[in-house]
């Protein structure tokens, strides 16, 4: 089976994109689709290379029985070729990703909030929880729960 390769991208790859990868992984595991996907995440700034996800995100996700195993790495130009879908968290991530592209892979890049529905359709980016409190991490996870359902519908 040809797997769909999906990369989630944020700035530091320690809060939002590791959580997006983990929430989407949990969703496809629960649906029995895990053999259809290869998931990864990356950050555009590379400042946290080699680090685990932020402990606050690991804790907030674990309270929902979601494992966040990501080790931070920088987004690189080659990712544009390797992955079928590149899902960014905000407009700044989008700019940082597409500026590495020659124009031939831009169709693969979309924003996580493009897949939101219902009460979450009002959001146009995933808020960065890094400088805030616990609420921000829970908000990100709530939004990701909603968006990942839409993403799965779109790409499966
Ligand atoms: P993330 O959050 O992009 O959701 O991983 C951030 C984490 C760290 C930094 C910025 C955003 N930072 O600049 O250190």
């Amino acid at each position: 089976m040809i797997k769909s390769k999906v990369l989630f991208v944020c700035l530091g790859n320690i809060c939002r994109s590791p959580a997006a990868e983990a929430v989407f992984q949990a969703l496809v595991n629960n649906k029995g689709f895990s053999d259809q996907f290869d998931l990864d995440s990356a950050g555009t700034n590379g400042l946290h290379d080699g680090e685990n996800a932020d402990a606050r995100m690991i804790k907030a996700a674990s309270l929902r029985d979601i494992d966040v195993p990501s080790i931070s790495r920088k987004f690189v130009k080659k990712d544009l070729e390797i992955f079928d879908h590149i899902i960014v968290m905000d407009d700044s991530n989008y700019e940082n990703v597409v500026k590495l592209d020659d124009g031939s892979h831009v169709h693969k890049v979309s924003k996580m909030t493009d897949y939101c529905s219902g009460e979450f359709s009002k959001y146009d980016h995933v808020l960065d929880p890094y400088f805030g409190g616990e609420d921000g991490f829970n908000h990100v996870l709530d939004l990701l729960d909603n968006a990942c359902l839409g993403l799965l519908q779109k790409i499966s």
Side-chain angles (χ1 to χ4, degrees), residues 37-88:
F37 294 95
D38 267 338
L39 308 182
D40 196 5
S41 64
T44 58
N45 75 5
L47 287 179
H48 295 273
D49 258 18
E51 292 179 21
N52 290 316
D54 189 298
R56 297 167 294 174
M57 184 56 89
I58 291 175
K59 183 175 171 208
S62 78
L63 293 172
R64 302 168 182 228
D65 287 327
I66 293 172
D67 190 28
V68 186
S70 160
I71 303 292
S72 181
R73 73 165 177 91
K74 189 169 186 187
F75 178 85
V76 293
K77 188 176 166 66
K78 187 97 182 146
D79 289 321
L80 287 155
E81 285 169 35
I82 294 172
F83 288 90
D84 304 308
H85 304 279
I86 297 170
I87 315 296
V88 302

Side-chain angles (χ1 to χ4, degrees), residues 10-18 45 47-48 93 128-131:
C10 63
L11 178 61
N13 190 215
I14 56 170
C15 296
R16 293 167 294 173
S17 60
N45 75 5
L47 287 179
H48 295 273
N93 306 151
D128 188 344
Y130 187 66
F131 294 105

